Amino acid sequence: MLTVSQLPVYFAAADLTFLICPGIANSCESVYIRSFVQNAQNCGFRCYVLNHLGVVASVKLTSARLFSYGGTAEFAAMVDCALRQHPSSRAIALGFSMGGNVITCWLGESKEHQKKVLCAISVCQGYDIIRSRPVLLQWAGLRRAYMFSMARNMKRILARNRDILFSPEVLTRHPEIDIKAVFGATTLLEIDEYYTRVLKGYSSVDEMYVAESSAHKLREIHIPIMFVNALDDPIVPEELLDCVKDYASTHDNAIAVITQHGGHLGFFEGDSYLIPKPVSWLCRLVIQYTESVLTNEPQRSDKLANGHAAPMHRGDGAAPMHRGDCAAPMHRGDGDGPAVRSAKLLFTSPAAGRNFSDTPENPLD
């Protein structure tokens, strides 16, 4: 299998673009985004990153519009801009956390959207906000502390753009906005209730959450897509993953990858807990998955043209994985021995081979 050092040579003949949607209140300046972009560019990819509205301090808002959990308009605009500038490029949609929900919603909205990308990858999203809501208010895994921190960050964005977001015109048009309640909120759920859903015209926060949760749009997606989650994610616990396991088990082009460790957007490797390797397991997984989709695209196109489902093979002669909840260790393939933490993978569709690498002497567990 390809290693990171070989990838720039392999992709030199291809024009490939990552269309990246970061997590909540994140942007191209976020550390994990910068780390991924650097590795992807080293591997020959072009990268576009969506800066969520209001997040970059140096860029002031010009209208009363803010990002939301499943709002897709800004990502759609970025996709169209990228494809206008690079019409011959093959695009890959990649979303982290909230961004994973955004790209999944965008794909599920229209088959035309799916035609614009080669494949898609979602990392650490929660899928269903209504089901997530009671979980996020629990102290297990320090989720309540995470919620408080994210709410505080969100209030900073609101305060920085207060003259636009709470202008007299906005308050006149939406008199139910409660400024005191917004800035007194300790969770994102409260901010959604007192501000976001009002601004977006929903009659209730539940109505907004149903409309903006990707769990309700998964089954409209038929292109190759990979969902990555970790069982020790403090924000997205295992009970929220049922919908994506079910989807992946019934759709040939979908993969659900669930690791025992990885946290929320972590997935670090290395022989030290304090100093991980600069290229994470996640970075390598995303690159290798994209390579696998690209390698097998002609096979899928031929079979789909004849009216047959076409599960994605590895491209190395290995048989596709059979459907079912088959746990398999992910092999590192770099010859460096086991990483600090083990990472068992759960692949729930036949869309790929059991492992992305070919060195069984070095499994992570």
Side-chain angles (χ1 to χ4, degrees), residues 21 68-76 79 93-114 117 120-123 125-129 200 202 207-223 225-227 243-244 247:
C21 190
S68 65
Y69 186 75
T72 61
E74 291 78 30
F75 182 75
V79 172
L94 172 60
F96 295 93
S97 192
M98 183 195 78
N101 184 76
V102 170
I103 70 161
T104 307
C105 287
W106 176 76
L107 290 168
E109 287 174 353
S110 167
K111 290 182 180 179
E112 293 302 313
H113 292 172
Q114 296 175 44
V117 296
I121 301 136
S122 161
V123 183
Q125 69 155 303
Y127 305 102
D128 190 332
I129 318 175
K200 300 196 74 171
Y202 291 102
E207 181 188 7
M208 183 178 79
Y209 285 166
V210 170
E212 299 199 353
S213 291
S214 67
H216 308 295
K217 301 175 183 178
L218 286 171
R219 297 190 180 278
E220 302 301 320
I221 300 174
H222 303 288
I223 64 167
I225 186 166
M226 177 171 68
F227 298 93
C243 63
V244 75
Y247 168 74

Side-chain angles (χ1 to χ4, degrees), residues 1-2 10-11 16 18 45 90-93 117-121 222-226 252-255 285-301 310-315 351-353 356:
M1 201 64 178
L2 295 177
Y10 178 85
F11 286 117
L16 300 169
F18 274 117
F45 290 85
R90 306 304 305 279
I92 304 100
V117 296
L118 171 71
C119 61
I121 301 136
H222 303 288
I223 64 167
I225 186 166
M226 177 171 68
D252 288 340
N253 281 328
I255 309 176
L285 175 67
V286 170
I287 299 297
Q288 289 184 7
Y289 172 76
T290 303
E291 180 268 336
S292 185
V293 174
L294 191 66
T295 299
N296 292 276
E297 188 184 20
Q299 298 178 37
R300 286 201 318 281
S301 298
M312 188 178 69
H313 296 260
R314 290 172 61 190
F356 282 93

Side-chain angles (χ1 to χ4, degrees), residues 30-351:
S30 302
V31 173
Y32 71 95
I33 295 294
R34 292 168 62 186
S35 176
F36 176 83
V37 167
Q38 180 179 11
N39 179 60
Q41 289 178 331
N42 288 340
C43 294
F45 290 85
R46 179 187 297 108
C47 293
Y48 277 72
V49 180
L50 177 65
N51 290 327
H52 290 302
L53 292 175
V55 171
V56 179
S58 60
V59 181
K60 290 284 291 181
L61 289 179
T62 57
S63 64
R65 187 181 180 90
L66 205 59
F67 66 89
S68 65
Y69 186 75
T72 61
E74 291 78 30
F75 182 75
M78 184 186 76
V79 172
D80 291 343
C81 175
L83 296 182
R84 279 197 307 271
Q85 294 181 352
H86 307 282
S88 61
S89 183
R90 306 304 305 279
I92 304 100
L94 172 60
F96 295 93
S97 192
M98 183 195 78
N101 184 76
V102 170
I103 70 161
T104 307
C105 287
W106 176 76
L107 290 168
E109 287 174 353
S110 167
K111 290 182 180 179
E112 293 302 313
H113 292 172
Q114 296 175 44
K115 293 177 182 179
K116 296 179 180 182
V117 296
L118 171 71
C119 61
I121 301 136
S122 161
V123 183
C124 293
Q125 69 155 303
Y127 305 102
D128 190 332
I129 318 175
I130 290 183
R131 288 190 64 199
S132 302
R133 184 166 47 188
V135 174
L136 292 171
L137 296 177
Q138 298 170 358
W139 278 102
L142 295 178
R143 293 186 202 109
R144 193 64 175 79
Y146 277 100
M147 283 293 287
F148 179 81
S149 177
M150 288 188 288
R152 184 174 60 178
N153 193 25
M154 191 70 180
K155 286 189 290 185
R156 288 197 190 104
I157 295 171
L158 292 170
R160 190 166 59 235
N161 296 279
R162 185 166 181 157
D163 57 329
I164 298 293
L165 296 176
F166 298 92
S167 67
E169 180 185 356
V170 170
L171 296 179
T172 299
R173 194 184 324 134
H174 303 289
E176 61 268 50
I177 290 178
D178 187 335
I179 299 178
K180 184 176 180 180
V182 170
F183 287 100
T186 59
T187 69
L188 294 174
L189 306 173
E190 293 171 274
I191 295 175
D192 286 343
E193 173 63 52
Y194 297 125
Y195 185 77
T196 311
R197 67 96 184 165
V198 178
L199 196 68
K200 300 196 74 171
Y202 291 102
S203 60
S204 70
V205 74
D206 281 7
E207 181 188 7
M208 183 178 79
Y209 285 166
V210 170
E212 299 199 353
S213 291
S214 67
H216 308 295
K217 301 175 183 178
L218 286 171
R219 297 190 180 278
E220 302 301 320
I221 300 174
H222 303 288
I223 64 167
I225 186 166
M226 177 171 68
F227 298 93
V228 184
N229 289 94
L231 294 182
D232 64 351
D233 188 327
I235 301 176
V236 186
E238 185 176 6
E239 57 261 36
L240 299 180
L241 306 182
D242 293 346
C243 63
V244 75
K245 289 180 185 179
D246 180 62
Y247 168 74
S249 68
T250 56
H251 287 70
D252 288 340
N253 281 328
I255 309 176
V257 179
I258 302 172
T259 67
Q260 285 190 340
H261 300 288
H264 193 71
L265 305 180
F267 302 99
F268 298 113
E269 289 183 303
D271 298 321
S272 168
Y273 283 95
L274 299 178
I275 308 177
K277 290 187 174 182
V279 178
S280 71
W281 177 87
L282 178 62
C283 288
R284 296 193 299 111
L285 175 67
V286 170
I287 299 297
Q288 289 184 7
Y289 172 76
T290 303
E291 180 268 336
S292 185
V293 174
L294 191 66
T295 299
N296 292 276
E297 188 184 20
Q299 298 178 37
R300 286 201 318 281
S301 298
D302 292 342
K303 291 187 178 181
L304 289 172
N306 294 325
H308 301 294
M312 188 178 69
H313 296 260
R314 290 172 61 190
D316 58 3
M321 183 174 173
H322 295 291
R323 193 170 284 150
D325 292 344
C326 303
M330 175 74 176
H331 300 140
R332 292 178 60 181
D334 57 8
D336 288 343
V340 172
R341 304 295 296 276
S342 65
K344 283 189 177 180
L345 297 193
L346 177 65
F347 290 84
T348 58
S349 90

